[in-house]
Amino acid sequence: MKAGAVVPGLRTIRALGLVAVCVLASGCTDTTADKTPAPQRPATPSAEQSSPQVRPSPVPSVHSEGSTRVLEYGDLTVRATPEKSGVRTEIEVANTNERKATYSVQISIADGKGWTAHNRFWLQDVPPGKTGTEGAVIGSEDMGPVPQVPKIYVDEFTPLVDRK
């Protein structure tokens, strides 16, 4: 070797090798290759198209029945009635499954100004084709004035269908 010759270090060799691998992995850089249209596959039904349709997401509907606010959300109906001690909240869930099901439902009641209370309901072993119901007073007058036009929120709606 000549005096003053520069020998590439191990790090330089590794860096050049990495650059070469990246160039090879990225494929051809010729811009004409990008202009060729991809061949179109003939339209054939996919597995998703041939399988039964999944029910669409429910659309919430709210209306009043006297002083009671009613939220209908798919198979779930929530009624919220202001009382002196809180908001009486009743839920109904229609089991549209072919097996019995348990439902975990968390409901929040609010006034839109800061008063918010919630409760979790468990409707266990609702038979197929039947409706499970449960009720409770949510919140209290200790939290401030009870909302006279309660806002209803479904925080969680989880059906657990029996496998048997």
Side-chain angles (χ1 to χ4, degrees), residues 9 54 65 75 105 126 133:
V54 176
E65 294 175 356
D75 299 332
V105 183
V126 178
T133 60

Side-chain angles (χ1 to χ4, degrees), residues 94-110:
N95 183 357
T96 57
N97 298 293
E98 294 178 3
R99 299 178 188 268
K100 67 181 177 179
T102 296
Y103 297 89
S104 171
V105 183
Q106 182 169 319
I107 302 295
S108 289
I109 303 294

Side-chain angles (χ1 to χ4, degrees), residues 12 42 67 77 99 108:
T12 305
S67 64
T77 302
R99 299 178 188 268
S108 289

Side-chain angles (χ1 to χ4, degrees), residues 73-97:
Y73 185 71
D75 299 332
L76 173 67
T77 302
V78 182
R79 287 182 171 74
T81 307
E83 294 182 348
K84 183 179 178 185
S85 61
V87 178
R88 168 137 322 266
T89 307
E90 298 170 350
I91 69 167
E92 295 179 355
V93 179
N95 183 357
T96 57
N97 298 293

